[in-house]
Amino acid sequence: MRLIMRQSEKDAAVWTADYIMQRIRFFSASPTKPFVLGLPTGSTPILIYQGLVGRHKASLVSFENVTTFNMDEYVGLAPDHPQSYHKFMDDHFFSQVNVAKENIHMLDGCANDLKAECAAYEEAIKDAGGIELFLGGIGEDGHIAFNEPGSSLTSRTRVVALTQETREVNARFFSRVDEVPKEALSVGVGTVMDAREVVIAAAGKRKARAVAACVEGPVTQMCTASCLQMHPNVTLVCDEAAIAELKYGTVQYYLEAEKR
Ligand code: GLP
């Protein structure tokens, strides 16, 4: 695991946007060899999307040959619902860059057959050649995508039940907690682990416990992000507040490692 630490959330987002831009540029994507990018929602990625949009507008990066797969979507929210992840992605990213519509993949939380929707998503990822880089966030309880504590570390895309804690945390986007759907469709921990590279962004004090569990804790289904310890190519990008619960020695080690 690589840990990048920056003082502010903004600095961390700049690092991440630059990194993704470079990865896409050096990949030399083409219509027959697209760059397959996994994408998250949440408040943490907003600054990263702003950074990518800015770099795109400055002609520093093109998304013409980028194929995207989003991590998750609420069950029962139509794509035009203000709190759906479809709407979020459209507002913050897709409407502002040149990703071709046919290259955008998002789970449909209103599909008639949710099980078939999830199976088809896994197939679509496979058909696209697998995910080159999965960008993600981390929940306060250490979840990645919507893989709540107790999710199998080999799980695939499926219907998941959200914990009351996650619903309460995400209630800030809705008017009341009971408006937050109780279920979501989410890629599995195994789906994220299959990506050739994973980049996780964490910012703010409320993520400090999850970051410590992810980096220093045991690999456990009770903090699904901890599974990333088993991935050969993971970068965790944090601001200062998010590393507050890491041990002094851990921080020093990663600071030294970044200088090398
Ligand atoms: C939701 C999303 C996750 C995201 C998490 C943290 O639960 N399903 O993918 O990582 O929120 O989001 P935020 O960045 O808003 O803290």
Side-chain angles (χ1 to χ4, degrees):
M1 184 182 283
R2 179 159 71 135
L3 182 58
I4 301 291
M5 292 166 276
R6 290 294 177 271
Q7 201 171 22
S8 68
E9 180 174 4
K10 174 107 196 290
D11 293 343
V14 165
W15 187 94
T16 308
D18 273 337
Y19 183 73
I20 293 171
M21 175 181 81
Q22 302 293 5
R23 285 286 280 106
I24 294 172
R25 279 167 53 164
F26 289 115
F27 188 81
S28 307
S30 67
T32 50
K33 188 195 159 205
F35 188 94
V36 184
L37 181 62
L39 294 173
T41 53
S43 17
T44 319
I46 292 177
L47 283 176
I48 301 170
Y49 289 135
Q50 278 173 12
L52 288 173
V53 167
R55 283 157 184 72
H56 170 67
K57 290 197 168 144
S59 304
L60 294 171
V61 63
S62 169
F63 294 90
E64 195 185 349
N65 294 312
V66 173
T67 293
T68 67
F69 284 89
N70 262 82
M71 289 188 138
D72 41 21
E73 178 57 287
Y74 289 113
V75 167
L77 296 196
D80 60 350
H81 186 285
Q83 301 315 333
S84 76
Y85 287 167
H86 277 75
K87 181 81 173 62
F88 174 98
M89 288 306 298
D90 214 38
D91 290 351
H92 292 283
F93 192 53
F94 295 143
S95 64
Q96 300 185 65
V97 294
N98 61 338
V99 187
K101 240 192 165 104
E102 61 274 20
N103 291 343
I104 296 172
H105 300 84
M106 291 198 74
L107 285 154
D108 178 2
C110 291
N112 286 334
D113 185 342
L114 294 174
K115 223 173 148 188
E117 172 71 11
C118 294
Y121 207 64
E122 286 281 337
E123 279 307 305
I125 293 174
K126 222 185 278 166
D127 290 349
I131 291 173
E132 185 62 28
L133 187 155
F134 223 135
L135 174 66
I138 187 166
E140 291 180 30
D141 58 7
H143 69 241
I144 36 169
F146 263 138
N147 294 288
E148 299 281 33
S151 297
S152 159
L153 299 183
T154 61
S155 51
R156 313 301 310 185
T157 306
R158 68 210 184 288
V159 184
V160 294
L162 302 182
T163 62
Q164 183 60 17
E165 183 186 345
T166 293
R167 291 180 68 231
E168 277 164 17
V169 168
N170 288 358
R172 68 191 192 279
F173 301 110
F174 295 77
S175 23
R176 288 192 330 265
V177 67
D178 42 313
E179 280 179 13
V180 183
K182 292 191 168 142
E183 288 181 325
L185 302 186
S186 175
V187 296
V189 182
T191 321
V192 177
M193 290 294 286
D194 280 352
R196 290 183 278 282
E197 177 170 10
V198 182
V199 175
I200 300 290
K205 205 168 144 222
R206 65 188 180 90
K207 299 296 172 69
R209 229 171 6 113
V211 166
C214 167
V215 178
E216 295 171 341
V219 174
T220 165
Q221 61 173 2
M222 299 320 285
C223 167
T224 51
S226 67
C227 195
L228 296 170
Q229 293 173 24
M230 310 281 287
H231 194 287
N233 192 1
V234 174
T235 305
L236 187 56
V237 193
C238 296
D239 70 354
E240 217 171 54
I243 58 159
E245 302 265 337
L246 285 178
K247 293 190 180 99
Y248 176 79
T250 306
V251 173
Q252 293 311 306
Y253 169 76
Y254 282 111
L255 284 175
E256 282 304 313
E258 201 192 331
K259 281 190 211 147
R260 277 200 298 270

